[in-house]
Amino acid sequence: SGGTVTQNVVITVTGTSDAPTVSASEDFVVSEEDLTNGNSGALIFTGDVGLNFNDYSSAGLSAKLKTSGAIPLDPSGALFDLSSDGVPMGYSLLTRADGTQKLTGFNFRTGEIAFVLDLDIVADGSGGFKVVYSFELRGNLDHLGIGAGDSIPLDFTVTAKNSAGETAENTFTVTINDD
């Protein structure tokens, strides 16, 4: 009586991986007339891409734009065909070490930045993570032959990938109204 027994116990925890989930995205309408003089200044808008991770850690998560090289693609896979002051747009795409991206659209001749789109992965307040964006309109875009009337709808498609390699895709729209 009063003796003790020592025994090694092996506990195996088997987890499951949930693919990223899709919810409604937050779309925005911006107007060039709100820029200083209708052509410069900066307007910044933020929104939820509608891609969510149930992962407990942000390690290994990524959010990437649908592109061909640095040129953004619309949901059908067509290249964005934008210009500013009659000059085709150039694009710079930065992929950060944390798996997020920053896209800059600029006037190819002058280098003047027309817009910046920044993707980020943030805590969602319920133990998971979500993909958010900020869109900064810095200059004007040409509105000839694109979109309906005086608006250019920019449909950005984002693919979220979790640490297990599972993916989900969603699209959000930033509509730019002419000044």
Side-chain angles (χ1 to χ4, degrees), residues 16-171:
T16 60
S17 175
D18 293 331
T21 58
V22 178
S23 59
S25 64
E26 293 178 342
D27 300 335
F28 281 99
V29 176
V30 298
S31 179
E32 289 178 346
E33 72 182 359
D34 293 330
L35 293 169
T36 306
N37 299 323
N39 291 312
S40 62
L43 301 172
I44 301 173
F45 298 88
T46 59
D48 191 331
V49 174
L51 290 167
N52 308 290
F53 300 99
N54 295 318
D55 298 52
Y56 63 89
S57 167
S58 63
L61 305 181
S62 68
K64 298 196 175 168
L65 289 163
K66 185 176 187 178
T67 62
S68 175
I71 302 172
L73 302 175
D74 70 16
S76 70
L79 296 171
F80 274 34
D81 186 20
L82 300 174
S83 61
S84 177
D85 297 327
V87 177
M89 297 287 291
Y91 300 96
S92 169
L93 182 66
L94 171 66
T95 301
R96 299 183 195 97
D98 68 358
T100 61
Q101 291 184 316
K102 179 178 184 176
L103 175 71
T104 303
F106 57 92
N107 179 303
F108 200 71
R109 181 175 31 87
T110 66
E112 179 184 344
I113 295 174
F115 69 84
V116 177
L117 173 65
D118 205 353
L119 297 178
D120 201 5
I121 298 171
V122 299
D124 66 5
S126 63
F129 296 88
K130 66 181 180 178
V131 181
V132 296
Y133 70 92
S134 68
F135 183 88
E136 180 179 0
L137 183 63
R138 293 189 187 177
N140 67 307
L141 299 178
D142 296 337
H143 291 256
L144 303 174
I146 300 176
D150 288 330
S151 297
I152 301 174
L154 302 178
D155 297 319
F156 295 100
T157 302
V158 178
T159 301
K161 185 165 83 171
N162 67 10
S163 56
E166 298 166 307
T167 62
E169 186 176 274
N170 204 11
T171 299

